[in-house]
Amino acid sequence: MKAKVAVFGTLRFPPENIEKVLPHLKTLVSSTYANDGCIAYDVAEDPFDKGLIRFSELWPSRESLENHLKASHIEPWREQARKHGLTEREFNSYDLSSDAMAV
C-alpha cells in the first residue's frame, strides 16, 4: 500500500516519568496498528535527549489519519500522557505526492 500522508512528531515528558509512560504508549501503538489502518506507526525515545519521544507515521489517506485522531483509544492515551507530565507536543503532517521518489 502506498502512503499518502506522513506524520512526524515529538512528545516530551520528564525523563523520570518515561518508564511510567511506556506501557500506555505500547497500548496506543498496538491499538493503532490493530484498528486504524496505518501503514507504519513508529515510536521511540530519543537516546540523546531523555524524555523526548519521536513519532513517524505513514497513512494511506488523510481520512485514515483523521479517523485515527478520533479513535476510542486516543483519549485514554492523552489522559495518561497528561497524568505523566507531558510538557511539549509537536506534530506535522505532509501530503505525499504520487510522484515522490523512494530512496
Side-chain angles (χ1 to χ4, degrees):
M1 179 180 296
K2 190 169 187 177
K4 300 290 185 186
V5 178
V7 176
F8 301 98
T10 58
L11 298 177
R12 183 175 297 282
F13 294 90
E16 63 273 13
N17 289 355
I18 287 296
E19 291 304 315
K20 296 173 192 166
V21 169
L22 291 179
H24 303 289
L25 188 54
K26 182 176 182 177
T27 299
L28 170 70
V29 171
S30 298
S31 296
T32 297
Y33 270 118
N35 301 303
D36 295 353
C38 64
I39 297 168
Y41 197 83
D42 301 313
V43 179
E45 182 180 10
D46 188 313
F48 306 110
D49 191 349
K50 296 297 180 190
L52 183 67
I53 305 290
R54 296 187 180 277
F55 287 72
S56 62
E57 310 170 21
L58 293 174
W59 294 91
S61 66
R62 176 73 49 191
E63 180 182 16
S64 62
L65 172 58
E66 290 170 4
N67 289 338
H68 161 68
L69 295 173
K70 295 183 246 174
S72 61
H73 53 269
I74 296 298
E75 191 53 37
W77 156 248
R78 288 178 177 160
E79 289 174 18
Q80 290 300 318
R82 287 188 297 270
K83 178 181 174 182
H84 294 295
L86 177 67
T87 59
E88 293 177 29
R89 179 187 184 279
E90 182 177 343
F91 282 80
N92 294 291
S93 65
Y94 303 91
D95 290 321
L96 304 176
S97 68
S98 60
D99 59 352
M101 181 174 16
V103 288

